[in-house]
Amino acid sequence: MPLDCRKFRNGDQYVSLLGYGIMRMPRAAEGSRIIDRDKGAELVDYALEHGVNYFDTAYNYHGCTSEEFTGWALSRHRRESFNLATKMPVWMLNSREEMEAVFEEQLRKCRTEYFDFYLIHNFSSKNLEKEERLGVYEFLRQKKREGRIRRLGFSMHDTPAVLESVVKKYDWDFAQLQINYMDWEGLDAKSQYELLASRGIPVIVMEPVRGGALAAGLCGESQAIFREADPGRSVASWAIRFAASLPGVLVVLSGMSDMEQLRDNIATLSPLRPLDEREYGVIARALDAYRKSAPIPCTACRYCMDCPSGVDIPRLFALYNRHHNKGRTVYLGIDYRVIGEGRQAHHCTRCERCVKLCPQGLDIPALLEKVRAFVAENALDDIELLHPEKGVRVIGGPPSAGS
Ligand code: SF4
Ligand code: SF4
């Protein structure tokens, strides 16, 4: 069976339900940020041959070389055979001139006259003011009028309130959000999805498998629950199907690093078999097993809520469990911000009201202090971290040789 496609807003454009996230392409060497061109090209070719027609890159991926690779790999195919998506790195810009230079550089690197999908990258409360000051949205609308952009959207990791303000303020063709069964309740992905669906804004899903956390990263018991429920399917396929089963989703992006992952995802969506009630129950059981095996064995029952100080106890514990063994990362900072400032761990007054309500007997105030200290030590600022390494490039500079 062919790979499933979805219509863009009931028009005549079909987009493959599986999208290729270039961000996790295989690297040339351990520790290198450069893509292995031969292996990468083989993956791109196989994906296209099997119906994948959506490719997502960004200015800053792979030390700012991802667009060059993507442009080169796709230029070996007919332009009409794929949808190319890339993003404006607002946090790197200081002027309208730089924005123009970056956009022209992206077209050049991607070897294209236009972008099918173009996003404001990581549109969040941290760069709302800058976006307005530089007039990023208006600049991109102008590019759309000129035919350089076909569909204009944004990607976001922030609270539902920030998402709502952004979708009310501007007219969007689509939006890209982090949606997966772990974040569905845990990071408000559900309400964010529902907000976009209610406005008819197509959703591109990023991180459906949470960078592998919902595959090999699950505990043994969770994996066993999935394997027993469907021995013929991979653990990752449950996460892909969870995202793809949402009717408002246009594309499920997956950052596939090897042929095994690519083949598995294609098989999962050729065609999509939407999850049924029994299968949602399987996911709930696997999540429950994961939570119980985690360093903070919070089951997310929410008996301890609501905290009079506004602290979102189960979400903070879920965040710690997801990140406790990952070292210093930008994603920890992003996830902490998504919880919302008023609900973060430092608001705990140690009143102990919640302690007697917890059936797991957790020392909640002490654990919240642990979460607070962990975040303070390990959360990197996404604006700074997404910035490329010094010396990699100069805005508006030519693509590097060999592409
Ligand atoms: S101890 Fe902290 S988290 Fe628990 S109810 Fe009191 S303020 Fe809220
Ligand atoms: S009551 Fe205990 S187990 Fe339940 S959500 Fe609160 S901290 Fe977690």
Side-chain angles (χ1 to χ4, degrees):
M1 296 287 283
L3 180 67
D4 258 345
C5 286
R6 289 210 168 136
K7 272 187 182 182
F8 183 84
R9 285 191 152 160
N10 292 325
D12 54 9
Q13 182 185 13
Y14 283 87
V15 183
S16 58
L17 188 48
L18 178 63
Y20 209 122
I22 299 291
M23 190 174 86
R24 292 200 170 85
M25 274 285 169
R27 317 248 167 164
E30 186 71 26
S32 166
R33 305 189 79 182
I34 308 298
I35 295 171
D36 182 318
R37 287 166 73 87
D38 291 343
K39 284 187 188 158
E42 193 186 349
L43 290 165
V44 166
D45 293 351
Y46 186 92
L48 276 161
E49 276 166 29
H50 291 80
V52 177
N53 71 6
Y54 190 99
F55 293 82
D56 170 89
T57 181
Y59 187 81
N60 59 305
Y61 290 171
H62 304 100
C64 294
T65 64
S66 181
E67 288 172 333
E68 289 170 9
F69 165 80
T70 308
W72 167 74
L74 290 174
S75 68
R76 296 146 56 247
H77 300 270
R78 282 185 307 109
R79 182 64 185 87
E80 313 75 54
S81 66
F82 57 85
N83 292 291
L84 174 58
T86 194
K87 314 178 185 86
M88 179 61 77
V90 176
W91 69 92
M92 293 175 64
L93 305 172
N94 293 303
S95 67
R96 177 103 177 182
E97 291 68 36
E98 286 188 354
M99 192 157 47
E100 184 77 49
V102 164
F103 191 80
E104 289 303 318
E105 182 187 349
Q106 290 179 302
L107 288 168
R108 197 166 61 240
K109 282 170 155 179
C110 289
R111 305 186 185 207
T112 187
E113 299 290 315
Y114 63 92
F115 296 112
D116 304 275
F117 290 78
Y118 195 91
L119 303 88
I120 296 180
H121 196 172
N122 194 23
F123 201 177
S124 72
S125 47
K126 283 193 165 188
N127 54 25
L128 280 172
E129 178 277 325
K130 194 172 193 184
E131 181 281 323
E132 265 184 31
R133 180 162 44 83
L134 296 183
V136 178
Y137 180 82
E138 281 314 315
F139 172 84
L140 296 176
R141 285 287 291 190
Q142 179 58 30
K143 293 297 175 194
K144 191 175 171 191
R145 284 190 284 274
E146 292 168 7
R148 300 296 195 92
I149 291 173
R150 299 265 165 98
R151 316 282 186 204
L152 178 57
F154 63 95
S155 65
M156 177 177 281
H157 300 269
D158 215 307
T159 62
V162 174
L163 176 65
E164 187 166 14
S165 71
V166 167
V167 298
K168 275 186 178 163
K169 188 169 179 186
Y170 298 124
D171 185 24
W172 301 102
D173 296 317
F174 68 102
Q176 186 165 308
L177 293 180
Q178 177 168 315
I179 294 179
N180 55 65
Y181 61 74
M182 190 175 282
D183 296 329
W184 189 241
E185 305 284 351
L187 281 179
D188 263 339
K190 179 174 187 278
S191 51
Q192 302 208 22
Y193 166 77
E194 287 173 350
L195 174 67
L196 295 180
S198 70
R199 289 174 168 262
I201 300 174
V203 179
I204 310 274
V205 173
M206 56 182 162
E207 301 290 359
V209 193
R210 245 198 180 273
L214 303 185
L218 286 175
C219 66
E221 190 181 343
S222 301
Q223 294 193 40
I225 288 169
F226 284 130
R227 293 221 166 85
E228 189 186 317
D230 192 344
R233 299 264 187 179
S234 68
V235 174
S237 72
W238 289 81
I240 296 290
R241 287 175 66 215
F242 179 87
S245 295
L246 297 165
V249 165
L250 181 68
V251 174
V252 178
L253 283 177
S254 179
M256 297 164 280
S257 306
D258 59 43
M259 200 56 90
E260 187 183 344
Q261 291 170 0
L262 177 55
R263 287 199 179 106
D264 185 47
N265 284 344
I266 289 171
T268 299
L269 298 179
S270 300
L272 163 69
R273 188 164 53 82
L275 292 170
D276 58 27
E277 282 309 309
R278 181 192 71 85
E279 291 171 319
Y280 281 115
V282 170
I283 289 178
R285 278 197 292 125
L287 255 184
D288 200 41
Y290 164 80
R291 287 179 181 133
K292 284 179 178 153
S293 74
I296 299 179
C298 168
T299 59
C301 66
R302 300 186 78 83
Y303 291 157
C304 55
M305 297 294 280
D306 286 333
C307 157
S309 299
V311 178
D312 198 329
I313 302 163
R315 282 191 187 169
L316 289 159
F317 291 167
L319 170 128
Y320 181 85
N321 288 339
R322 272 197 304 275
H323 290 280
H324 72 99
N325 57 358
K326 300 203 174 84
R328 303 185 76 214
T329 73
V330 65
Y331 300 105
L332 172 62
I334 288 172
D335 285 357
Y336 200 59
R337 185 176 67 229
V338 172
I339 286 173
E341 203 290 322
R343 297 188 289 178
Q344 294 170 348
H346 61 277
H347 291 289
C348 174
T349 60
R350 292 185 162 263
C351 72
E352 304 233 329
R353 175 188 171 278
C354 56
V355 176
K356 49 187 171 293
L357 300 173
C358 177
Q360 306 300 320
L362 301 180
D363 184 350
I364 294 173
L367 289 168
L368 286 170
E369 173 52 25
K370 184 176 179 171
V371 174
R372 188 204 61 73
F374 175 75
V375 171
E377 173 134 6
N378 293 291
L380 292 175
D381 186 296
D382 54 317
I383 300 298
E384 287 165 17
L385 192 92
L386 289 168
H387 202 286
E389 301 135 317
K390 280 181 189 164
V392 168
R393 65 170 306 284
V394 176
I395 288 177
S400 61
S403 58

